[in-house]
PDB file of all heavy atoms in Angstrom:
ATOM      1  N   LEU R  17       0.812  -1.198  -0.020  1.00 98.00           N
ATOM      2  CA  LEU R  17       0.021  -0.004  -0.002  1.00 98.00           C
ATOM      3  C   LEU R  17       0.872   1.257  -0.023  1.00 98.00           C
ATOM      4  O   LEU R  17       1.944   1.288   0.583  1.00 98.00           O
ATOM      5  CB  LEU R  17      -0.900   0.014   1.221  1.00 98.00           C
ATOM      6  CG  LEU R  17      -2.005  -1.036   1.286  1.00 98.00           C
ATOM      7  CD1 LEU R  17      -2.748  -0.953   2.619  1.00 98.00           C
ATOM      8  CD2 LEU R  17      -3.000  -0.888   0.147  1.00 98.00           C
ATOM      9  N   ILE R  18       0.356   2.294  -0.665  1.00 98.00           N
ATOM     10  CA  ILE R  18       0.949   3.631  -0.598  1.00 98.00           C
ATOM     11  C   ILE R  18       0.017   4.523   0.179  1.00 98.00           C
ATOM     12  O   ILE R  18      -1.221   4.498  -0.065  1.00 98.00           O
ATOM     13  CB  ILE R  18       1.186   4.155  -2.009  1.00 98.00           C
ATOM     14  CG1 ILE R  18       2.299   3.331  -2.710  1.00 98.00           C
ATOM     15  CG2 ILE R  18       1.561   5.655  -1.976  1.00 98.00           C
ATOM     16  CD1 ILE R  18       2.452   3.719  -4.161  1.00 98.00           C
ATOM     17  N   GLY R  19       0.532   5.331   1.093  1.00 98.00           N
ATOM     18  CA  GLY R  19      -0.307   6.190   1.896  1.00 98.00           C
ATOM     19  C   GLY R  19      -0.133   7.666   1.519  1.00 98.00           C
ATOM     20  O   GLY R  19       0.989   8.128   1.252  1.00 98.00           O
ATOM     21  N   LEU R  20      -1.215   8.413   1.537  1.00 98.00           N
ATOM     22  CA  LEU R  20      -1.209   9.865   1.343  1.00 98.00           C
ATOM     23  C   LEU R  20      -1.828  10.504   2.586  1.00 98.00           C
ATOM     24  O   LEU R  20      -2.766   9.989   3.147  1.00 98.00           O
ATOM     25  CB  LEU R  20      -1.997  10.299   0.102  1.00 98.00           C
ATOM     26  CG  LEU R  20      -1.762   9.547  -1.224  1.00 98.00           C
ATOM     27  CD1 LEU R  20      -2.579  10.200  -2.338  1.00 98.00           C
ATOM     28  CD2 LEU R  20      -0.292   9.529  -1.591  1.00 98.00           C
ATOM     29  N   SER R  21      -1.292  11.667   2.970  1.00 98.00           N
ATOM     30  CA  SER R  21      -1.683  12.279   4.234  1.00 98.00           C
ATOM     31  C   SER R  21      -3.162  12.821   4.251  1.00 98.00           C
ATOM     32  O   SER R  21      -3.622  13.264   5.274  1.00 98.00           O
ATOM     33  CB  SER R  21      -0.726  13.415   4.605  1.00 98.00           C
ATOM     34  OG  SER R  21      -0.732  14.418   3.611  1.00 98.00           O
ATOM     35  N   ALA R  22      -3.754  12.846   3.081  1.00 97.00           N
ATOM     36  CA  ALA R  22      -5.186  13.192   2.975  1.00 97.00           C
ATOM     37  C   ALA R  22      -5.422  14.701   3.040  1.00 97.00           C
ATOM     38  O   ALA R  22      -4.536  15.507   2.921  1.00 97.00           O
ATOM     39  CB  ALA R  22      -6.039  12.436   3.968  1.00 97.00           C
ATOM     40  N   CYS R  23      -6.682  15.070   3.284  1.00 96.00           N
ATOM     41  CA  CYS R  23      -7.161  16.458   3.232  1.00 96.00           C
ATOM     42  C   CYS R  23      -6.933  17.142   4.564  1.00 96.00           C
ATOM     43  O   CYS R  23      -6.129  16.679   5.377  1.00 96.00           O
ATOM     44  CB  CYS R  23      -8.623  16.451   2.861  1.00 96.00           C
ATOM     45  SG  CYS R  23      -9.596  15.464   4.040  1.00 96.00           S
ATOM     46  N   LEU R  24      -7.624  18.213   4.796  1.00 96.00           N
ATOM     47  CA  LEU R  24      -7.580  18.945   6.081  1.00 96.00           C
ATOM     48  C   LEU R  24      -7.956  18.022   7.212  1.00 96.00           C
ATOM     49  O   LEU R  24      -7.614  18.265   8.386  1.00 96.00           O
ATOM     50  CB  LEU R  24      -8.486  20.165   6.052  1.00 96.00           C
ATOM     51  CG  LEU R  24      -7.986  21.353   5.223  1.00 96.00           C
ATOM     52  CD1 LEU R  24      -9.179  22.256   4.887  1.00 96.00           C
ATOM     53  CD2 LEU R  24      -6.923  22.130   5.997  1.00 96.00           C
ATOM     54  N   GLY R  25      -8.674  16.936   6.936  1.00 96.00           N
ATOM     55  CA  GLY R  25      -9.081  15.988   7.986  1.00 96.00           C
ATOM     56  C   GLY R  25      -8.065  14.935   8.314  1.00 96.00           C
ATOM     57  O   GLY R  25      -8.291  14.109   9.200  1.00 96.00           O
ATOM     58  N   GLY R  26      -6.921  14.928   7.666  1.00 98.00           N
ATOM     59  CA  GLY R  26      -5.875  13.961   7.959  1.00 98.00           C
ATOM     60  C   GLY R  26      -5.202  14.228   9.295  1.00 98.00           C
ATOM     61  O   GLY R  26      -5.225  15.360   9.802  1.00 98.00           O
ATOM     62  N   GLU R  27      -4.586  13.221   9.869  1.00 98.00           N
ATOM     63  CA  GLU R  27      -3.933  13.408  11.182  1.00 98.00           C
ATOM     64  C   GLU R  27      -2.837  14.424  11.118  1.00 98.00           C
ATOM     65  O   GLU R  27      -2.744  15.348  11.940  1.00 98.00           O
ATOM     66  CB  GLU R  27      -3.408  12.077  11.707  1.00 98.00           C
ATOM     67  CG  GLU R  27      -2.743  12.209  13.081  1.00 98.00           C
ATOM     68  CD  GLU R  27      -2.161  10.898  13.595  1.00 98.00           C
ATOM     69  OE1 GLU R  27      -2.258   9.873  12.878  1.00 98.00           O
ATOM     70  OE2 GLU R  27      -1.596  10.920  14.752  1.00 98.00           O
ATOM     71  N   VAL R  28      -1.947  14.263  10.143  1.00 98.00           N
ATOM     72  CA  VAL R  28      -0.821  15.212  10.020  1.00 98.00           C
ATOM     73  C   VAL R  28      -1.319  16.617   9.739  1.00 98.00           C
ATOM     74  O   VAL R  28      -0.881  17.596  10.412  1.00 98.00           O
ATOM     75  CB  VAL R  28       0.173  14.741   8.934  1.00 98.00           C
ATOM     76  CG1 VAL R  28       1.224  15.812   8.665  1.00 98.00           C
ATOM     77  CG2 VAL R  28       0.851  13.419   9.364  1.00 98.00           C
ATOM     78  N   PRO R  29      -2.223  16.830   8.774  1.00 98.00           N
ATOM     79  CA  PRO R  29      -2.740  18.177   8.567  1.00 98.00           C
ATOM     80  C   PRO R  29      -3.442  18.772   9.755  1.00 98.00           C
ATOM     81  O   PRO R  29      -3.260  19.983  10.060  1.00 98.00           O
ATOM     82  CB  PRO R  29      -3.789  17.940   7.391  1.00 98.00           C
ATOM     83  CG  PRO R  29      -3.239  16.785   6.657  1.00 98.00           C
ATOM     84  CD  PRO R  29      -2.694  15.894   7.721  1.00 98.00           C
ATOM     85  N   GLN R  30      -4.178  17.985  10.511  1.00 98.00           N
ATOM     86  CA  GLN R  30      -4.870  18.523  11.695  1.00 98.00           C
ATOM     87  C   GLN R  30      -3.874  19.042  12.724  1.00 98.00           C
ATOM     88  O   GLN R  30      -4.005  20.160  13.270  1.00 98.00           O
ATOM     89  CB  GLN R  30      -5.740  17.432  12.340  1.00 98.00           C
ATOM     90  CG  GLN R  30      -7.029  17.130  11.600  1.00 98.00           C
ATOM     91  CD  GLN R  30      -7.863  16.046  12.302  1.00 98.00           C
ATOM     92  OE1 GLN R  30      -7.673  15.777  13.467  1.00 98.00           O
ATOM     93  NE2 GLN R  30      -8.752  15.451  11.574  1.00 98.00           N
ATOM     94  N   LEU R  31      -2.806  18.272  12.963  1.00 98.00           N
ATOM     95  CA  LEU R  31      -1.783  18.687  13.949  1.00 98.00           C
ATOM     96  C   LEU R  31      -1.064  19.953  13.432  1.00 98.00           C
ATOM     97  O   LEU R  31      -0.790  20.847  14.285  1.00 98.00           O
ATOM     98  CB  LEU R  31      -0.805  17.553  14.188  1.00 98.00           C
ATOM     99  CG  LEU R  31      -1.354  16.326  14.898  1.00 98.00           C
ATOM    100  CD1 LEU R  31      -0.392  15.181  14.873  1.00 98.00           C
ATOM    101  CD2 LEU R  31      -1.715  16.691  16.364  1.00 98.00           C
ATOM    102  N   LEU R  32      -0.782  19.991  12.172  1.00 98.00           N
ATOM    103  CA  LEU R  32      -0.099  21.214  11.652  1.00 98.00           C
ATOM    104  C   LEU R  32      -0.955  22.446  11.807  1.00 98.00           C
ATOM    105  O   LEU R  32      -0.507  23.532  12.158  1.00 98.00           O
ATOM    106  CB  LEU R  32       0.274  20.985  10.191  1.00 98.00           C
ATOM    107  CG  LEU R  32       1.458  20.084   9.872  1.00 98.00           C
ATOM    108  CD1 LEU R  32       1.608  19.874   8.375  1.00 98.00           C
ATOM    109  CD2 LEU R  32       2.749  20.670  10.451  1.00 98.00           C
ATOM    110  N   MET R  33      -2.247  22.318  11.494  1.00 97.00           N
ATOM    111  CA  MET R  33      -3.179  23.474  11.587  1.00 97.00           C
ATOM    112  C   MET R  33      -3.393  23.922  13.000  1.00 97.00           C
ATOM    113  O   MET R  33      -3.771  25.032  13.271  1.00 97.00           O
ATOM    114  CB  MET R  33      -4.534  23.095  10.918  1.00 97.00           C
ATOM    115  CG  MET R  33      -4.436  22.888   9.417  1.00 97.00           C
ATOM    116  SD  MET R  33      -3.727  24.311   8.541  1.00 97.00           S
ATOM    117  CE  MET R  33      -5.046  25.489   8.737  1.00 97.00           C
ATOM    118  N   GLN R  34      -3.133  22.990  13.972  1.00 97.00           N
ATOM    119  CA  GLN R  34      -3.238  23.333  15.366  1.00 97.00           C
ATOM    120  C   GLN R  34      -1.907  23.911  15.975  1.00 97.00           C
ATOM    121  O   GLN R  34      -1.813  24.213  17.135  1.00 97.00           O
ATOM    122  CB  GLN R  34      -3.670  22.132  16.196  1.00 97.00           C
ATOM    123  CG  GLN R  34      -5.082  21.648  15.877  1.00 97.00           C
ATOM    124  CD  GLN R  34      -5.350  20.278  16.460  1.00 97.00           C
ATOM    125  OE1 GLN R  34      -4.685  19.805  17.351  1.00 97.00           O
ATOM    126  NE2 GLN R  34      -6.384  19.626  15.925  1.00 97.00           N
ATOM    127  N   GLY R  35      -0.891  24.024  15.088  1.00 97.00           N
ATOM    128  CA  GLY R  35       0.368  24.518  15.519  1.00 97.00           C
ATOM    129  C   GLY R  35       1.203  23.518  16.289  1.00 97.00           C
ATOM    130  O   GLY R  35       2.239  23.900  16.908  1.00 97.00           O
ATOM    131  N   ARG R  36       0.826  22.286  16.268  1.00 97.00           N
ATOM    132  CA  ARG R  36       1.559  21.221  17.027  1.00 97.00           C
ATOM    133  C   ARG R  36       2.534  20.533  16.092  1.00 97.00           C
ATOM    134  O   ARG R  36       2.433  19.372  15.754  1.00 97.00           O
ATOM    135  CB  ARG R  36       0.531  20.232  17.580  1.00 97.00           C
ATOM    136  CG  ARG R  36      -0.428  20.919  18.547  1.00 97.00           C
ATOM    137  CD  ARG R  36      -1.757  20.174  18.696  1.00 97.00           C
ATOM    138  NE  ARG R  36      -1.607  18.838  19.288  1.00 97.00           N
ATOM    139  CZ  ARG R  36      -2.626  17.957  19.457  1.00 97.00           C
ATOM    140  NH1 ARG R  36      -3.840  18.352  19.083  1.00 97.00           N
ATOM    141  NH2 ARG R  36      -2.401  16.785  19.965  1.00 97.00           N
ATOM    142  N   THR R  37       3.553  21.312  15.721  1.00 97.00           N
ATOM    143  CA  THR R  37       4.502  20.875  14.669  1.00 97.00           C
ATOM    144  C   THR R  37       5.273  19.632  15.071  1.00 97.00           C
ATOM    145  O   THR R  37       5.446  18.714  14.264  1.00 97.00           O
ATOM    146  CB  THR R  37       5.482  22.022  14.361  1.00 97.00           C
ATOM    147  OG1 THR R  37       4.752  23.178  13.991  1.00 97.00           O
ATOM    148  CG2 THR R  37       6.395  21.637  13.212  1.00 97.00           C
ATOM    149  N   ASP R  38       5.758  19.569  16.284  1.00 98.00           N
ATOM    150  CA  ASP R  38       6.521  18.411  16.711  1.00 98.00           C
ATOM    151  C   ASP R  38       5.668  17.141  16.678  1.00 98.00           C
ATOM    152  O   ASP R  38       6.144  16.095  16.220  1.00 98.00           O
ATOM    153  CB  ASP R  38       7.059  18.608  18.134  1.00 98.00           C
ATOM    154  CG  ASP R  38       8.161  19.666  18.185  1.00 98.00           C
ATOM    155  OD1 ASP R  38       8.700  20.005  17.115  1.00 98.00           O
ATOM    156  OD2 ASP R  38       8.441  20.193  19.269  1.00 98.00           O
ATOM    157  N   GLU R  39       4.430  17.222  17.103  1.00 98.00           N
ATOM    158  CA  GLU R  39       3.551  16.060  17.072  1.00 98.00           C
ATOM    159  C   GLU R  39       3.200  15.682  15.618  1.00 98.00           C
ATOM    160  O   GLU R  39       3.080  14.518  15.279  1.00 98.00           O
ATOM    161  CB  GLU R  39       2.231  16.371  17.827  1.00 98.00           C
ATOM    162  CG  GLU R  39       2.461  16.534  19.332  1.00 98.00           C
ATOM    163  CD  GLU R  39       1.169  16.947  20.032  1.00 98.00           C
ATOM    164  OE1 GLU R  39       0.205  16.137  19.994  1.00 98.00           O
ATOM    165  OE2 GLU R  39       1.125  18.065  20.569  1.00 98.00           O
ATOM    166  N   ALA R  40       3.069  16.678  14.787  1.00 98.00           N
ATOM    167  CA  ALA R  40       2.814  16.440  13.344  1.00 98.00           C
ATOM    168  C   ALA R  40       3.984  15.692  12.716  1.00 98.00           C
ATOM    169  O   ALA R  40       3.805  14.719  11.967  1.00 98.00           O
ATOM    170  CB  ALA R  40       2.530  17.731  12.602  1.00 98.00           C
ATOM    171  N   ASP R  41       5.179  16.139  13.034  1.00 98.00           N
ATOM    172  CA  ASP R  41       6.416  15.491  12.530  1.00 98.00           C
ATOM    173  C   ASP R  41       6.436  14.057  12.993  1.00 98.00           C
ATOM    174  O   ASP R  41       6.766  13.099  12.244  1.00 98.00           O
ATOM    175  CB  ASP R  41       7.658  16.205  12.984  1.00 98.00           C
ATOM    176  CG  ASP R  41       7.866  17.503  12.270  1.00 98.00           C
ATOM    177  OD1 ASP R  41       7.096  17.829  11.349  1.00 98.00           O
ATOM    178  OD2 ASP R  41       8.817  18.239  12.603  1.00 98.00           O
ATOM    179  N   ALA R  42       6.128  13.802  14.279  1.00 98.00           N
ATOM    180  CA  ALA R  42       6.132  12.456  14.817  1.00 98.00           C
ATOM    181  C   ALA R  42       5.090  11.593  14.153  1.00 98.00           C
ATOM    182  O   ALA R  42       5.356  10.408  13.829  1.00 98.00           O
ATOM    183  CB  ALA R  42       5.896  12.502  16.311  1.00 98.00           C
ATOM    184  N   ALA R  43       3.912  12.147  13.903  1.00 98.00           N
ATOM    185  CA  ALA R  43       2.874  11.397  13.214  1.00 98.00           C
ATOM    186  C   ALA R  43       3.266  11.032  11.809  1.00 98.00           C
ATOM    187  O   ALA R  43       3.073   9.878  11.361  1.00 98.00           O
ATOM    188  CB  ALA R  43       1.531  12.195  13.206  1.00 98.00           C
ATOM    189  N   ALA R  44       3.879  11.985  11.085  1.00 98.00           N
ATOM    190  CA  ALA R  44       4.331  11.745   9.735  1.00 98.00           C
ATOM    191  C   ALA R  44       5.430  10.634   9.708  1.00 98.00           C
ATOM    192  O   ALA R  44       5.399   9.736   8.858  1.00 98.00           O
ATOM    193  CB  ALA R  44       4.857  13.001   9.102  1.00 98.00           C
ATOM    194  N   ARG R  45       6.320  10.731  10.673  1.00 98.00           N
ATOM    195  CA  ARG R  45       7.378   9.703  10.703  1.00 98.00           C
ATOM    196  C   ARG R  45       6.792   8.311  11.040  1.00 98.00           C
ATOM    197  O   ARG R  45       7.288   7.280  10.536  1.00 98.00           O
ATOM    198  CB  ARG R  45       8.410  10.087  11.799  1.00 98.00           C
ATOM    199  CG  ARG R  45       9.331  11.227  11.388  1.00 98.00           C
ATOM    200  CD  ARG R  45      10.472  11.385  12.381  1.00 98.00           C
ATOM    201  NE  ARG R  45      11.419  12.454  12.008  1.00 98.00           N
ATOM    202  CZ  ARG R  45      11.428  13.645  12.544  1.00 98.00           C
ATOM    203  NH1 ARG R  45      10.521  13.970  13.506  1.00 98.00           N
ATOM    204  NH2 ARG R  45      12.289  14.551  12.154  1.00 98.00           N
ATOM    205  N   SER R  46       5.766   8.272  11.836  1.00 97.00           N
ATOM    206  CA  SER R  46       5.130   7.011  12.196  1.00 97.00           C
ATOM    207  C   SER R  46       4.510   6.350  10.927  1.00 97.00           C
ATOM    208  O   SER R  46       4.578   5.154  10.764  1.00 97.00           O
ATOM    209  CB  SER R  46       4.071   7.161  13.302  1.00 97.00           C
ATOM    210  OG  SER R  46       2.886   7.810  12.813  1.00 97.00           O
ATOM    211  N   PHE R  47       3.893   7.231  10.088  1.00 98.00           N
ATOM    212  CA  PHE R  47       3.356   6.673   8.841  1.00 98.00           C
ATOM    213  C   PHE R  47       4.452   6.181   7.913  1.00 98.00           C
ATOM    214  O   PHE R  47       4.307   5.149   7.274  1.00 98.00           O
ATOM    215  CB  PHE R  47       2.488   7.735   8.115  1.00 98.00           C
ATOM    216  CG  PHE R  47       1.159   7.960   8.761  1.00 98.00           C
ATOM    217  CD1 PHE R  47       0.791   9.235   9.219  1.00 98.00           C
ATOM    218  CD2 PHE R  47       0.259   6.922   8.872  1.00 98.00           C
ATOM    219  CE1 PHE R  47      -0.443   9.460   9.782  1.00 98.00           C
ATOM    220  CE2 PHE R  47      -0.999   7.137   9.443  1.00 98.00           C
ATOM    221  CZ  PHE R  47      -1.342   8.386   9.896  1.00 98.00           C
ATOM    222  N   CYS R  48       5.566   6.910   7.860  1.00 97.00           N
ATOM    223  CA  CYS R  48       6.722   6.443   7.043  1.00 97.00           C
ATOM    224  C   CYS R  48       7.227   5.096   7.540  1.00 97.00           C
ATOM    225  O   CYS R  48       7.582   4.209   6.748  1.00 97.00           O
ATOM    226  CB  CYS R  48       7.836   7.470   7.128  1.00 97.00           C
ATOM    227  SG  CYS R  48       7.483   9.005   6.257  1.00 97.00           S
ATOM    228  N   GLU R  49       7.212   4.926   8.858  1.00 97.00           N
ATOM    229  CA  GLU R  49       7.677   3.648   9.442  1.00 97.00           C
ATOM    230  C   GLU R  49       6.701   2.563   9.140  1.00 97.00           C
ATOM    231  O   GLU R  49       7.117   1.420   8.849  1.00 97.00           O
ATOM    232  CB  GLU R  49       7.869   3.823  10.939  1.00 97.00           C
ATOM    233  CG  GLU R  49       8.550   2.684  11.645  1.00 97.00           C
ATOM    234  CD  GLU R  49       7.531   1.635  12.104  1.00 97.00           C
ATOM    235  OE1 GLU R  49       6.405   2.023  12.486  1.00 97.00           O
ATOM    236  OE2 GLU R  49       7.910   0.424  12.112  1.00 97.00           O
ATOM    237  N   ILE R  50       5.381   2.873   9.150  1.00 98.00           N
ATOM    238  CA  ILE R  50       4.371   1.843   8.886  1.00 98.00           C
ATOM    239  C   ILE R  50       4.416   1.412   7.410  1.00 98.00           C
ATOM    240  O   ILE R  50       4.402   0.210   7.086  1.00 98.00           O
ATOM    241  CB  ILE R  50       2.991   2.395   9.211  1.00 98.00           C
ATOM    242  CG1 ILE R  50       2.801   2.479  10.732  1.00 98.00           C
ATOM    243  CG2 ILE R  50       1.884   1.522   8.622  1.00 98.00           C
ATOM    244  CD1 ILE R  50       1.552   3.222  11.161  1.00 98.00           C
ATOM    245  N   PHE R  51       4.453   2.368   6.479  1.00 98.00           N
ATOM    246  CA  PHE R  51       4.425   2.036   5.092  1.00 98.00           C
ATOM    247  C   PHE R  51       5.764   1.631   4.477  1.00 98.00           C
ATOM    248  O   PHE R  51       5.792   0.846   3.531  1.00 98.00           O
ATOM    249  CB  PHE R  51       3.858   3.238   4.282  1.00 98.00           C
ATOM    250  CG  PHE R  51       2.394   3.476   4.517  1.00 98.00           C
ATOM    251  CD1 PHE R  51       1.975   4.542   5.324  1.00 98.00           C
ATOM    252  CD2 PHE R  51       1.445   2.664   3.941  1.00 98.00           C
ATOM    253  CE1 PHE R  51       0.615   4.779   5.563  1.00 98.00           C
ATOM    254  CE2 PHE R  51       0.068   2.914   4.166  1.00 98.00           C
ATOM    255  CZ  PHE R  51      -0.324   3.946   4.961  1.00 98.00           C
ATOM    256  N   GLY R  52       6.850   2.184   4.965  1.00 94.00           N
ATOM    257  CA  GLY R  52       8.165   1.906   4.427  1.00 94.00           C
ATOM    258  C   GLY R  52       8.652   3.072   3.583  1.00 94.00           C
ATOM    259  O   GLY R  52       7.918   4.030   3.265  1.00 94.00           O
ATOM    260  N   GLU R  53       9.858   2.962   3.180  1.00 88.00           N
ATOM    261  CA  GLU R  53      10.514   4.053   2.445  1.00 88.00           C
ATOM    262  C   GLU R  53       9.819   4.398   1.140  1.00 88.00           C
ATOM    263  O   GLU R  53       9.481   3.518   0.346  1.00 88.00           O
ATOM    264  CB  GLU R  53      12.014   3.683   2.157  1.00 88.00           C
ATOM    265  CG  GLU R  53      12.821   4.799   1.566  1.00 88.00           C
ATOM    266  CD  GLU R  53      14.261   4.382   1.378  1.00 88.00           C
ATOM    267  OE1 GLU R  53      14.613   3.246   1.777  1.00 88.00           O
ATOM    268  OE2 GLU R  53      15.043   5.201   0.851  1.00 88.00           O
ATOM    269  N   ASP R  54       9.630   5.682   0.902  1.00 93.00           N
ATOM    270  CA  ASP R  54       8.997   6.213  -0.342  1.00 93.00           C
ATOM    271  C   ASP R  54       7.594   5.680  -0.579  1.00 93.00           C
ATOM    272  O   ASP R  54       7.182   5.566  -1.745  1.00 93.00           O
ATOM    273  CB  ASP R  54       9.887   5.892  -1.555  1.00 93.00           C
ATOM    274  CG  ASP R  54      11.206   6.616  -1.485  1.00 93.00           C
ATOM    275  OD1 ASP R  54      11.252   7.739  -0.919  1.00 93.00           O
ATOM    276  OD2 ASP R  54      12.226   6.073  -1.978  1.00 93.00           O
ATOM    277  N   ARG R  55       6.895   5.344   0.495  1.00 97.00           N
ATOM    278  CA  ARG R  55       5.511   4.849   0.329  1.00 97.00           C
ATOM    279  C   ARG R  55       4.499   5.670   1.148  1.00 97.00           C
ATOM    280  O   ARG R  55       3.365   5.307   1.268  1.00 97.00           O
ATOM    281  CB  ARG R  55       5.411   3.361   0.638  1.00 97.00           C
ATOM    282  CG  ARG R  55       6.047   2.520  -0.461  1.00 97.00           C
ATOM    283  CD  ARG R  55       6.140   1.030  -0.146  1.00 97.00           C
ATOM    284  NE  ARG R  55       4.888   0.514   0.325  1.00 97.00           N
ATOM    285  CZ  ARG R  55       4.761  -0.332   1.328  1.00 97.00           C
ATOM    286  NH1 ARG R  55       5.845  -0.734   1.985  1.00 97.00           N
ATOM    287  NH2 ARG R  55       3.570  -0.801   1.695  1.00 97.00           N
ATOM    288  N   PHE R  56       4.972   6.810   1.676  1.00 98.00           N
ATOM    289  CA  PHE R  56       4.073   7.744   2.323  1.00 98.00           C
ATOM    290  C   PHE R  56       4.395   9.113   1.786  1.00 98.00           C
ATOM    291  O   PHE R  56       5.538   9.526   1.719  1.00 98.00           O
ATOM    292  CB  PHE R  56       4.227   7.708   3.842  1.00 98.00           C
ATOM    293  CG  PHE R  56       3.340   8.695   4.536  1.00 98.00           C
ATOM    294  CD1 PHE R  56       1.980   8.529   4.530  1.00 98.00           C
ATOM    295  CD2 PHE R  56       3.857   9.830   5.170  1.00 98.00           C
ATOM    296  CE1 PHE R  56       1.103   9.457   5.149  1.00 98.00           C
ATOM    297  CE2 PHE R  56       3.055  10.740   5.790  1.00 98.00           C
ATOM    298  CZ  PHE R  56       1.669  10.578   5.780  1.00 98.00           C
ATOM    299  N   PHE R  57       3.317   9.850   1.414  1.00 98.00           N
ATOM    300  CA  PHE R  57       3.483  11.163   0.777  1.00 98.00           C
ATOM    301  C   PHE R  57       2.632  12.212   1.505  1.00 98.00           C
ATOM    302  O   PHE R  57       1.530  11.910   1.953  1.00 98.00           O
ATOM    303  CB  PHE R  57       3.052  11.106  -0.679  1.00 98.00           C
ATOM    304  CG  PHE R  57       3.966  10.248  -1.543  1.00 98.00           C
ATOM    305  CD1 PHE R  57       3.828   8.849  -1.518  1.00 98.00           C
ATOM    306  CD2 PHE R  57       4.908  10.802  -2.358  1.00 98.00           C
ATOM    307  CE1 PHE R  57       4.643   8.037  -2.256  1.00 98.00           C
ATOM    308  CE2 PHE R  57       5.770  10.015  -3.141  1.00 98.00           C
ATOM    309  CZ  PHE R  57       5.597   8.647  -3.097  1.00 98.00           C
ATOM    310  N   LEU R  58       3.152  13.460   1.522  1.00 98.00           N
ATOM    311  CA  LEU R  58       2.374  14.565   2.087  1.00 98.00           C
ATOM    312  C   LEU R  58       1.587  15.190   0.969  1.00 98.00           C
ATOM    313  O   LEU R  58       2.161  15.556  -0.073  1.00 98.00           O
ATOM    314  CB  LEU R  58       3.356  15.577   2.723  1.00 98.00           C
ATOM    315  CG  LEU R  58       4.245  15.064   3.862  1.00 98.00           C
ATOM    316  CD1 LEU R  58       5.247  16.124   4.308  1.00 98.00           C
ATOM    317  CD2 LEU R  58       3.393  14.603   5.034  1.00 98.00           C
ATOM    318  N   GLU R  59       0.295  15.332   1.188  1.00 98.00           N
ATOM    319  CA  GLU R  59      -0.637  15.676   0.138  1.00 98.00           C
ATOM    320  C   GLU R  59      -0.992  17.167   0.125  1.00 98.00           C
ATOM    321  O   GLU R  59      -1.694  17.656   1.034  1.00 98.00           O
ATOM    322  CB  GLU R  59      -1.920  14.827   0.336  1.00 98.00           C
ATOM    323  CG  GLU R  59      -2.893  14.865  -0.797  1.00 98.00           C
ATOM    324  CD  GLU R  59      -4.036  13.874  -0.589  1.00 98.00           C
ATOM    325  OE1 GLU R  59      -3.867  12.929   0.207  1.00 98.00           O
ATOM    326  OE2 GLU R  59      -5.105  14.105  -1.177  1.00 98.00           O
ATOM    327  N   VAL R  60      -0.477  17.910  -0.893  1.00 98.00           N
ATOM    328  CA  VAL R  60      -0.859  19.292  -1.063  1.00 98.00           C
ATOM    329  C   VAL R  60      -1.988  19.366  -2.093  1.00 98.00           C
ATOM    330  O   VAL R  60      -1.975  18.599  -3.044  1.00 98.00           O
ATOM    331  CB  VAL R  60       0.314  20.150  -1.492  1.00 98.00           C
ATOM    332  CG1 VAL R  60       1.375  20.264  -0.392  1.00 98.00           C
ATOM    333  CG2 VAL R  60       0.984  19.647  -2.778  1.00 98.00           C
TER     334      VAL R  60
END
């Protein structure tokens, strides 16, 4: 599977919009660890 961070309702986007940058980074890294290298993307 390949994962995309989704819309404003995604976990990473929600944390970023709340100004919780460190938690957003941690969440993004957790998805990278779950999916594997180059299989998780941040969706603009």
